Amino acid sequence: MRNTLIIFFSLCLNISAFAQEAPTSFSLQEAIDYALVHNRTVKNAVRDIEIAEEQKWETTATGLPQISANVDYQNWIKQQVSLLPGEIAGGPAGTFIPVEFSPKQNIGATATLNQLLFDGSYIVGLQAAKVYLQISENSKVKTDLEVRKAVINAYGNVLLTEESLKILESNKAILESNLNEIQKTYENGLEEEESVEQIKITLSGLISDLNNVKRLNVLSYQMLNITLGIDLNTDTTLTDDLEILALQYTSLEALAADENVENTIDYLIAQNDVESKDLFVKLAMSDGLPTLSAFVNGGYSAFGEEFGFFKDNQKWYGSSMFGVNLSIPIFSSLGRSAATQQARIDLEKANENLIDTEQQLKFQIATAKSEYQYAIEDYSNKKENLELAERIERKNETKFFEGISSSFDLRQAQTQLYSAQQEYLQSMLDIINKKAELDAILSNLNN
């Protein structure tokens, strides 16, 4: 029976672990969707909203009825004595009689209901809690936009290193074949030693680049995993292709996107700051308003020389009271006025920052559109350059093996080809990243 239970619980744990296992294969959109749920920064932004919602209710609750209870038990180890004039009991003048006014033990239980009737700071607090929730929600949107951009950048970097590895491996294989062939030709006395050395120099540089890209490939995968919110060393597989993504992210419509900055998240956050500073002004002014509150309580007390408060014959004495408290601030030596002026100055600063944010956003949008358009144009240029570099390299290779051109010319053509290959890959990544940057500024989360 014990073994059966062990097997059962083991199966349950395995099933649970399997159910919670993170996916390891992602298209770009799948990676974005996954990160917007599991990225650690995103999860904390969600928690900030939850905190703001709880704080909103906490503020609201301060103006609702508050009930408290109090139980007080006292036991005089040595009872306090009061002195009465002796004349009261017929004694001589100038004498005193010691009297104990209360029993040795007493207990009381009281329940109190407090209700705030008017408080200017409470009204401002309700408005502030609402604004704080809006700030948290806008911060979450900002976080989502930044995480989306980070996923796109990280995903693109992985694809870039993957494509670079393929090209470098192919170039390495071709160079090794060329070196082997030239080495044999040189050994037969039909080629100069310089030709062998030129190929070796090119191959050495290529191997160094290949090793560096291998390291970058590992780091880029780790960066993507961190951005997704999964373990650093997860064996992740990407299903999208760099060139296809570059074509998908090429959109002339994005260049004609609405430039109304009032819809952007950065503008809304700056607007939230103005609203919060305005509330600080109202809060400072509310300090000069009266505060009105009321309470009602009721309770019972019992007394005795011995602890017998829970006996049936114990007598309890009831009491109840209602009260209203009105607090009116009259003079603060201009302290409240100074606090209000400080809050007004902060509000003026927030309004200036809002205007500055608007101008900066317009400039950022124009810059992002310009860079995105350049990336599209540069991609076409780099694609043409790659085709030209491939033809030049093939011609020089043919000429070299036919003995028409030198090994130096061949090496120069090969180096030019390798550079064109990397520039072409980078141009595709630039389109993707510049589009992501433009979307982030325009607050386009779903584009």
Side-chain angles (χ1 to χ4, degrees), residues 230-415:
I230 59 180
D231 185 79
L232 178 73
N233 296 313
T234 301
D235 188 11
T236 308
T237 303
L238 308 189
T239 59
D240 275 331
D241 177 81
L242 182 61
E243 188 169 8
I244 293 175
L245 280 179
L247 294 174
Q248 291 176 350
Y249 272 66
T250 301
S251 172
L252 298 179
E253 294 179 359
L255 297 173
D258 184 13
E259 297 185 6
N260 183 12
V261 297
E262 294 181 0
N263 296 327
T264 65
I265 194 62
D266 289 320
Y267 184 86
L268 293 176
I269 290 174
Q271 202 171 48
N272 286 152
D273 186 50
V274 172
E275 293 173 356
S276 64
K277 294 300 189 297
D278 183 54
L279 288 172
F280 275 114
V281 174
K282 293 180 180 179
L283 180 62
M285 294 175 65
S286 71
D287 288 341
L289 298 176
T291 301
L292 180 63
S293 61
F295 74 91
V296 60
N297 66 20
Y300 286 90
S301 300
F303 307 88
E305 292 297 325
E306 303 292 337
F307 192 91
F309 300 114
F310 298 109
K311 295 180 179 180
D312 293 339
N313 61 351
Q314 175 66 50
K315 189 172 181 179
W316 291 81
Y317 301 91
S319 63
S320 182
M321 182 172 58
F322 168 77
V324 176
N325 177 265
L326 177 63
S327 176
I328 304 174
I330 296 176
F331 183 65
S332 66
S333 298
L334 300 179
R336 287 193 299 271
S337 176
T340 302
Q341 289 304 315
Q342 291 179 57
R344 290 187 187 279
I345 293 171
D346 279 339
L347 176 60
E348 292 173 359
K349 290 170 61 179
N351 279 312
E352 290 292 342
N353 290 336
L354 179 62
I355 296 172
D356 184 65
T357 298
E358 180 181 6
Q359 297 299 310
Q360 291 289 341
L361 283 170
K362 289 180 178 179
F363 176 74
Q364 290 174 15
I365 291 172
T367 301
K369 284 186 175 182
S370 175
E371 292 178 352
Y372 178 53
Q373 186 170 7
Y374 173 76
I376 295 174
E377 295 169 351
D378 189 55
Y379 167 70
S380 298
N381 179 52
K382 291 300 188 291
K383 187 175 183 179
E384 292 178 1
N385 289 348
L386 176 60
E387 293 171 354
L388 291 173
E390 287 174 343
R391 287 202 296 270
I392 292 172
E393 194 275 339
R394 284 196 299 269
K395 289 178 182 178
N396 276 274
E397 185 176 355
T398 301
K399 289 179 180 179
F400 173 75
F401 284 106
E402 290 179 353
I404 300 175
S405 65
S406 66
S407 58
F408 180 80
D409 293 332
L410 175 60
R411 181 174 184 273
Q412 191 174 28
Q414 289 172 333
T415 303

Side-chain angles (χ1 to χ4, degrees), residues 86-100:
E87 295 94 323
I88 295 176
T95 62
F96 297 92
I97 301 172
V99 178
E100 297 175 352

Side-chain angles (χ1 to χ4, degrees), residues 4 7 11 19 28-29 32 64 103 119 150 189 210 212 223 262 266 275 326 337 351-352 355 371 393 425 435 439:
T4 303
I7 294 172
L11 288 173
L28 177 55
Q29 189 57 52
I32 293 172
L64 300 179
D119 187 343
L210 178 60
N212 183 52
M223 186 70 249
E262 294 181 0
D266 289 320
E275 293 173 356
L326 177 63
S337 176
N351 279 312
E352 290 292 342
I355 296 172
E371 292 178 352
E393 194 275 339
L425 293 178
K435 177 63 164 53
D439 287 341

Side-chain angles (χ1 to χ4, degrees), residues 27 34 38 120 153 167 197 221 283 340 366 378 426:
S27 66
Y34 186 87
H38 298 89
N153 291 340
I167 291 175
E197 292 172 343
Y221 269 109
L283 180 62
T340 302
D378 189 55
Q426 186 62 48

Side-chain angles (χ1 to χ4, degrees), residues 48 83 173 179 373 426:
D48 287 337
L83 299 178
L179 178 60
Q373 186 170 7
Q426 186 62 48

